[in-house]
Amino acid sequence: MSGSLWLKIPGGDTLPAIPRPRRTGPGVPAADPMDELAERLGPFIAAAVHPDEIAAVLESDGMTDEHIRLAYGRHDSFGLAEELYARVPRSFPEPAETPDPWKVSLTACLLRGVIFALPGLAYILGAPLLEGPPDRLGLPAGTLTLLAGALIGWVWDQTLSHRAYSWLGLGDRAAAGRTLLVGAPAGALLGSAAALAVPGSPAFSYVFAAGQALYVGAATVLLVLGRERLLLCALLPMAGGAVLSLTVGMATPLRVALLAVSLLAACTLALRELPLAAGVRTAGRRIRDRVRRGPGEGPVRWRMLRGAEEEFAPRGPRLADSVPFGVFGLGTGLLVLYAALGEVLAGGPAEAVAAPSAVALTLSMGPAEWLLHRFRSGSLAGLRAARSSRAFWGRMLLTLARCLASYLMVLLALGIAGTLLWPGAPGLTGVRVATLLLLGAVMWTGLLLQSFGAVRTAAGVCASAAAAQSLALLTGFGQPRLVQLVVAGTAAAVLAALVCVLLGRATAHR
């Protein structure tokens, strides 16, 4: 052995002492050396998971093979260790209490859920400005324009958020700021372009869609950088005006002013968080370098001079790693859209719009985030307490069932409350309730797999479900409510099976 295996005692410089052999007095018969050694080293032997650990203890105690042969009649330390391991039963000590790394504030998660849902009040303020003949699918005027812009912007900003969070995880906040500085305006342009591509909507719907795209970009910046409270303050004028407009009449200029104030506040706060000056300087420097660069100069020539053994690779997270998050956002966004508008899109009456279901799913994202952390905390505790892989799998399933059931209860309560408070909302029939809960299970288990790094799997299932429902809608196959129920149920079953298989392994929770 190269040295002692003992660690220092916290707060001290001495090594833990192994009990020394007891002295026997005159006339007292000598005890069996093996029994005495097993009693003296009992705690160390009982906690060992392999005889080699005991052999290491013996050697660190100064026992040579010659001494072991003379005193205990065994060939070497390994033989003696095997006999001691077999003689003393296992008794593993409980690990020391450690802080829970997955403990998060419930208030912060609920705040994020409220922030996700508050922008929906802007449609109440803007509704009188969107009056006109129904869209081609029988939806209120401008609905398709707003949906196209929101869906494209949502997909883009999901991808952008992951890339920015990846930079933050690497400790490079400046790179995350540069990513958001370039990506947020690009996402706003994409969302506006998608809205403008939908013809035949009221003129104000295009203006509203452009403002919506700008807000999504600004909100992405503030949420990624942890400025939820600032974003909430920016939304307060619009939210207060929307609630007030439900009880008293409100002039059109005042409605536009409240929408503009909240949008301007969100954009201003986002710009304040971004490295705008540094970004402008960097862009200017790169443009000057390109202009001044002569033939044969620049990074191309520098790369050619690198040695063959020096593989050129970009620094930081890869762009391809962020794409599955956008696909996951597209799949879940379409599923929520079909939950709210599926019957209308299939030719049903406009009164069949199930807006409370979409609102409930949006509001539930706050509790969902907190319960995801609770699952990680519970699985970590199960990993420490379980004595076998089967026991850990059982504990993981129990934690999963508790967290998922809690989320579905919250979602059901939100759906019932929204249906009761929403004027003219369709009733929550058994099929609607089942579809809502299955969609909630799809989103929560998908987010759970995403948090464990299995985002491609979750994105594939959600995107496939959205594609199947889109195909059924385009071909007119089946009754819309039953199609939604079957698609959501199938996706939930597949994701639940994947969770049990992928997260049932202890190595997935390291």
Side-chain angles (χ1 to χ4, degrees):
M1 301 295 293
S2 60
S4 174
L5 297 179
W6 300 114
L7 298 177
K8 291 185 178 181
I9 299 176
D13 296 327
T14 61
L15 300 176
I18 298 177
R20 312 312 303 172
R22 293 193 302 267
R23 297 181 179 274
T24 58
V28 178
D32 183 357
M34 287 295 295
D35 291 340
E36 183 184 8
L37 183 63
E39 181 183 355
R40 181 163 62 91
L41 302 182
F44 305 104
I45 299 172
V49 297
H50 193 275
D52 286 355
E53 292 186 47
I54 304 174
V57 171
L58 297 174
E59 293 181 2
S60 67
D61 196 33
M63 292 190 185
T64 62
D65 290 344
E66 182 180 1
H67 171 74
I68 290 173
R69 283 193 292 270
L70 291 174
Y72 302 103
R74 305 303 184 271
H75 182 68
D76 53 19
S77 60
F78 294 100
L80 179 60
E82 289 178 359
E83 186 165 340
L84 290 171
Y85 184 82
R87 179 177 295 210
V88 179
R90 308 275 67 76
S91 175
F92 302 105
E94 292 295 327
E97 292 292 332
T98 57
D100 186 359
W102 297 105
K103 186 177 182 179
V104 295
S105 170
L106 176 60
T107 304
C109 293
L110 294 178
L111 176 62
R112 290 175 70 89
V114 171
I115 289 175
F116 293 153
L118 272 183
L121 296 176
Y123 298 104
I124 297 177
L125 275 179
L129 304 172
L130 298 172
E131 294 180 351
D135 284 337
R136 289 167 293 176
L137 298 176
L139 296 170
T143 302
L144 291 179
T145 300
L146 298 177
L147 287 178
L151 192 60
I152 297 301
W154 171 253
V155 172
W156 175 268
D157 285 299
Q158 285 285 298
T159 307
L160 175 64
S161 298
H162 173 261
R163 183 157 179 81
Y165 275 125
S166 298
W167 281 116
L168 290 175
L170 294 173
D172 196 340
R173 190 176 179 87
R178 291 193 298 269
T179 299
L180 293 170
L181 180 61
V182 175
L189 289 175
L190 282 175
S192 301
L196 291 173
V198 180
S201 296
F204 184 76
S205 66
Y206 298 107
V207 178
F208 194 98
Q212 173 183 264
L214 286 172
Y215 169 78
V216 171
T220 301
V221 172
L222 293 173
L223 290 173
V224 169
L225 298 180
R227 299 294 186 264
E228 294 89 352
R229 298 183 186 276
L230 292 179
L231 182 57
L232 178 63
C233 293
L235 290 172
L236 286 179
M238 176 275 300
V243 173
L244 185 62
S245 68
L246 295 175
T247 57
V248 299
M250 187 173 292
T252 299
L254 181 57
R255 292 174 179 266
V256 175
L258 289 173
L259 290 171
V261 166
S262 287
L263 176 60
L264 183 61
C267 292
T268 302
L269 292 172
L271 285 174
R272 194 186 68 169
E273 298 295 329
L274 293 175
L276 188 59
V280 171
R281 288 195 299 269
T282 300
R285 183 170 61 252
R286 289 181 178 178
I287 293 174
R288 288 195 303 271
D289 291 344
R290 287 182 179 275
V291 172
R292 295 175 182 175
R293 187 180 300 156
E297 298 179 359
V300 174
R301 184 178 178 182
W302 175 77
R303 290 181 194 176
M304 292 175 62
L305 293 177
R306 295 170 66 91
E309 71 283 355
E310 298 179 75
E311 180 183 358
F312 178 81
R315 175 178 172 269
R318 298 183 303 170
L319 285 172
D321 292 338
S322 300
V323 173
F325 289 84
V327 176
F328 180 79
L330 176 62
T332 54
L334 285 174
L335 290 175
V336 173
L337 173 64
Y338 290 143
L341 303 175
E343 292 184 51
V344 180
L345 294 176
E351 292 77 12
V353 174
S357 297
V359 174
L361 287 167
T362 305
L363 276 173
S364 69
M365 288 297 100
E369 181 181 353
W370 185 77
L371 287 168
L372 288 173
H373 284 85
R374 287 294 84 206
F375 175 81
R376 297 299 296 263
S377 178
S379 61
L380 183 60
L383 192 62
R384 290 172 178 165
R387 302 301 175 88
S388 66
S389 58
R390 186 179 184 84
F392 169 73
W393 192 74
R395 287 176 176 267
M396 187 277 298
L397 285 183
L398 181 60
T399 304
L400 174 66
R402 287 175 177 172
C403 292
L404 182 57
S406 299
Y407 170 69
L408 294 180
M409 290 174 60
V410 172
L411 179 60
L412 180 60
L414 290 172
I416 294 174
T419 302
L420 294 176
L421 296 175
W422 195 282
L428 271 180
T429 62
V431 175
R432 289 185 185 275
V433 170
T435 303
L436 176 64
L437 295 181
L438 288 172
L439 276 178
V442 168
M443 296 186 68
W444 195 82
T445 52
L447 290 172
L448 181 62
L449 289 172
Q450 178 178 301
S451 69
F452 277 88
V455 60
R456 288 178 172 82
T457 303
V461 174
C462 293
S464 299
Q469 195 158 341
S470 301
L471 184 61
L473 180 66
L474 292 174
T475 58
F477 175 79
Q479 206 276 337
R481 292 188 189 180
L482 293 180
V483 170
Q484 292 175 17
L485 181 63
V486 171
V487 169
T490 303
V494 172
L495 288 173
L498 289 171
V499 167
C500 294
V501 172
L502 297 178
L503 304 188
R505 300 173 299 178
T507 53
H509 299 261
R510 290 179 299 180

